[in-house]
């Protein structure tokens, strides 16, 4: 039998520490919301590959679609020889996206690529260079997207200089109000950048890595207004919120605000690398032929998987399921707060099945070290769960939306055990 430790020893030699591992286990196989490591131990998976497996590991519909595609062809490069699954997926996303009028879609492989290309498209369509993002936001780790990401360590440390023309405005969470965010944007326009030079404002409908803070609808509506007034494009980064996770197909639908561009990835293809930019046709069509594209973008297997994922979301009513899971998670976590036998926690927050809570010290301050210990104890007891938040103080739950109720409850039982106060701590 292989061992987790042996694989990790090899990993430490062969792979740089810059890509950090949350767990020291090695996957052997996985099915829906369960994963087995190479030593045969079973885990409930509340990480879902960082919000990717909304339809679970190896959903049978997704597997069948990919197998069928594998038997026909695996790669042509779309720009060399086009294929129907790419076109069909674009048509489907255009119809589903909360964009009035004609929409278009272009496909890539990763979330960062989608964000980079949304910025390229916005720059080409507006003839402007600047981009505004929010503190605490996560948009990726590539050279452009790390500059957009609103957190220095570890994402920007030692990787400068950052791309020019990018400005951050305070995100309204903690003690920052929407009015203060908007005032900061006004001051930015007055002091640093002419709004007529701004190509795009990019925002997550719920800050994901930043701590599962839903963006107030009031802010989204105000940004829509400001964008309309100044000819700026509003980009919704739905990489983490996308595809039923929040209880709607796209997180921004909760607000009723229509973005000009939407970036998608993660949950789109049920475990296959696929990302995209969906947007208003007039904007999307601004780039010259050859200005967009990557060799693997919109891989045939990933497109086949995504078409199956969209079917599953519809047929298994995963938007409704996300709301049900979210309510169950919130109720259970709310019950953890105020219990003397458990580590101190905050009230739950999030949207739909995107739920997080902070681990606090006895004085009520965020306690990232304690959060790490909770994650480690959960893993020891058979639950994979992640942290998030500016300090890594929050526990975030991203269970597959296809998780059976019994496994959801089992995962929450383990989480409760992991929160138990230990003597001597
Ligand atoms: N945007 C958001 C909102 C994300 O959550 C992430 C990934 N966590 C990204 C962009 C980058 O995606 P990727 O890791 O696929 O490049």
């Amino acid at each position: 039998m292989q061992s987790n430790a042996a694989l990790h020893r090899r990993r430490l030699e062969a792979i740089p520490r810059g890509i950090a591992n949350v767990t020291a286990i090695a996957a052997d196989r996985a099915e829906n919301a369960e994963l087995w490591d190479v030593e045969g131990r079973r885990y409930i998976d509340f990480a879902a590959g960082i919000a990717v497996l909304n339809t679970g590991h190896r959903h049978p519909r997704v597997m069948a679609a990919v197998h069928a595609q594998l038997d026909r062809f695996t790669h042509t490069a779309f720009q060399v020889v086009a294929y129907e699954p790419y076109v069909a997926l674009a048509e489907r996303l255009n119809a589903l996206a909360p964009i009035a009028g004609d929409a278009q879609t272009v496909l890539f492989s990763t979330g960062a690529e989608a964000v980079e290309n949304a910025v390229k498209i916005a720059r080409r369509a507006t003839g402007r260079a600047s981009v505004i993002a929010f503190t605490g936001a996560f948009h990726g780790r590539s050279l452009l997207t790390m500059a957009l990401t609103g957190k220095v360590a570890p994402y920007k440390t030692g990787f400068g200089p950052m791309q020019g023309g990018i400005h951050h405005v305070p995100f309204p969470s903690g003690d920052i109000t929407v009015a203060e965010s908007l005032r900061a944007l006004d001051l930015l326009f007055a002091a640093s950048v002419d709004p007529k030079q701004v190509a795009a404002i990019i925002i997550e409908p719920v800050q994901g890595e930043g701590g599962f803070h839903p963006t107030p609808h009031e802010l989204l509506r105000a940004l829509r207004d400001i964008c309309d007034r100044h000819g700026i494009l509003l980009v919704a980064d739905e990489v983490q919120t996308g595809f039923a996770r929040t209880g709607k197909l796209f997180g921004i639908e909760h607000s009723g605000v229509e973005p000009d561009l939407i970036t998608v990835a993660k949950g789109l293809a049920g475990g296959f690398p696929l990302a995209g930019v969906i947007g208003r046709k007039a904007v999307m069509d601004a780039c010259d032929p050859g200005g967009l594209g990557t060799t693997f973008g919109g891989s045939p297997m990933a497109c086949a998987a995504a078409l199956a994922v969209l079917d599953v979301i519809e047929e298994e009513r995963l938007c409704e399921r996300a709301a049900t899971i979210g309510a169950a998670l919130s109720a259970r976590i709310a019950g953890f707060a105020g219990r003397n036998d458990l580590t101190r926690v905050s009230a739950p927050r999030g949207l739909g099945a995107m739920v997080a809570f902070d681990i606090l010290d006895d004085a009520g301050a965020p306690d990232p070290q304690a959060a790490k210990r909770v994650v480690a104890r959960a893993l020891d007891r058979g639950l994979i769960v992640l942290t998030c938040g500016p300090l890594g103080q929050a526990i975030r739950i991203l269970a597959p939306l296809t998780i059976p109720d019994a496994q959801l409850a089992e995962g929450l039982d383990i989480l409760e055990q992991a929160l138990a106060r230990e003597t001597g701590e």
Side-chain angles (χ1 to χ4, degrees):
M1 186 173 73
Q2 280 191 64
S3 87
N4 292 317
L7 194 107
H8 273 264
R9 272 194 302 276
R10 282 170 57 199
R11 173 261 182 263
L12 285 173
E13 280 305 309
I15 299 161
R17 66 195 180 99
I19 171 145
N21 292 112
V22 175
T23 71
I25 60 170
D28 179 48
R29 65 196 168 89
E31 206 69 56
N32 198 6
E34 296 169 285
L35 180 146
W36 287 264
D37 70 14
V38 289
E39 296 176 7
R41 275 203 69 192
R42 167 187 173 266
Y43 301 83
I44 303 279
D45 188 358
F46 274 10
I50 324 183
V52 167
L53 302 157
N54 295 356
T55 49
H57 289 276
R58 304 181 69 255
H59 193 290
R61 286 285 295 269
V62 176
M63 291 298 102
V66 172
H67 277 141
Q69 183 57 47
L70 275 172
D71 288 341
R72 292 170 60 223
F73 62 94
T74 63
H75 179 75
T76 63
F78 184 75
Q79 51 275 62
V80 178
V81 179
Y83 39 89
E84 206 265 346
Y86 190 126
V87 178
L89 181 61
E91 288 169 346
R92 195 118 172 233
L93 292 172
N94 296 341
L96 290 167
I99 290 172
D102 292 343
Q104 287 188 328
T105 292
V106 56
L107 299 173
F108 302 97
S109 305
T110 70
E113 263 187 307
V115 173
E116 294 244 350
N117 280 281
V119 170
K120 280 174 64 177
I121 292 165
R123 284 181 171 167
R124 187 69 179 89
T126 60
R128 305 170 178 191
S130 294
V131 182
I132 294 171
F134 285 81
T135 57
F138 187 89
H139 297 296
R141 290 183 174 85
S142 61
L143 271 176
L144 172 68
T145 59
M146 77 172 167
L148 289 169
T149 288
K151 182 176 170 184
V152 171
Y155 305 124
K156 307 189 193 201
T157 308
F159 294 137
M162 294 298 126
Q163 246 264 341
I166 289 168
H167 306 269
H168 286 94
V169 170
F171 181 80
S173 69
D175 56 2
I176 298 167
T177 63
V178 170
E180 282 167 342
S181 284
L182 292 170
R183 171 123 178 87
L185 185 57
D186 268 350
L187 291 173
L188 183 73
F189 287 156
S192 298
V193 58
D194 180 347
K196 296 282 183 262
Q197 294 305 315
V198 177
I201 298 179
I202 182 163
I203 190 157
E204 296 161 89
V206 180
Q207 277 201 346
E209 303 299 316
F212 282 24
H213 296 288
T215 301
H217 296 172
E218 183 193 350
L219 178 66
L220 291 170
R221 282 194 294 268
L223 292 178
R224 179 69 273 172
D225 227 50
I226 290 161
C227 285
D228 289 343
R229 224 172 325 130
H230 297 294
I232 300 169
L233 299 175
L234 183 62
V235 183
D237 183 348
E238 295 264 9
V239 168
Q240 190 151 164
T241 47
F243 302 103
R245 171 61 51 187
T246 67
K248 303 256 187 206
L249 200 57
F250 299 91
I252 200 161
E253 290 179 77
H254 292 275
S255 70
V257 169
E258 277 188 21
D260 300 293
L261 295 168
I262 302 173
T263 53
V264 293
K266 291 192 185 279
L268 170 59
F272 291 84
L274 187 66
V277 182
I278 312 165
R280 287 201 287 116
K281 185 173 191 297
V283 173
M284 294 292 292
D285 237 0
C287 299
D288 303 308
L292 301 176
T294 65
T295 305
F296 285 115
S299 143
M301 278 90 67
C303 289
L307 288 162
V309 162
L310 293 173
D311 289 342
V312 170
I313 288 174
E314 226 173 273
E315 284 164 23
E316 298 186 20
R317 305 170 73 85
L318 293 186
C319 287
E320 287 94 323
R321 178 77 185 139
T324 308
I325 289 174
L329 292 174
S330 296
R332 189 79 188 267
I333 293 163
F336 295 158
R339 269 181 51 183
N340 289 331
D341 58 331
L342 299 183
T343 303
R344 192 165 167 185
V345 300
S346 72
R349 59 171 179 270
L351 191 61
M354 201 174 168
V355 177
F357 59 99
D358 292 325
I359 301 293
L360 307 173
D361 64 17
D362 285 335
D367 192 343
Q369 291 313 317
K372 270 207 180 94
R373 290 196 295 274
V374 169
V375 166
R377 287 200 296 256
L379 189 74
D380 281 347
R381 289 163 175 79
L383 175 71
I384 302 170
V385 69
L386 300 173
T387 58
C388 66
L391 309 167
Q393 83 284 5
I395 303 287
R396 61 169 145 169
I397 299 174
L398 288 164
L401 305 177
T402 47
I403 190 171
D405 285 337
Q407 287 174 17
L408 187 68
E410 187 185 344
L412 283 164
D413 288 345
I414 296 173
L415 189 58
E416 182 172 341
Q417 291 160 23
L419 285 167
R421 278 184 194 271
E422 287 185 351
T423 41
E425 233 188 72

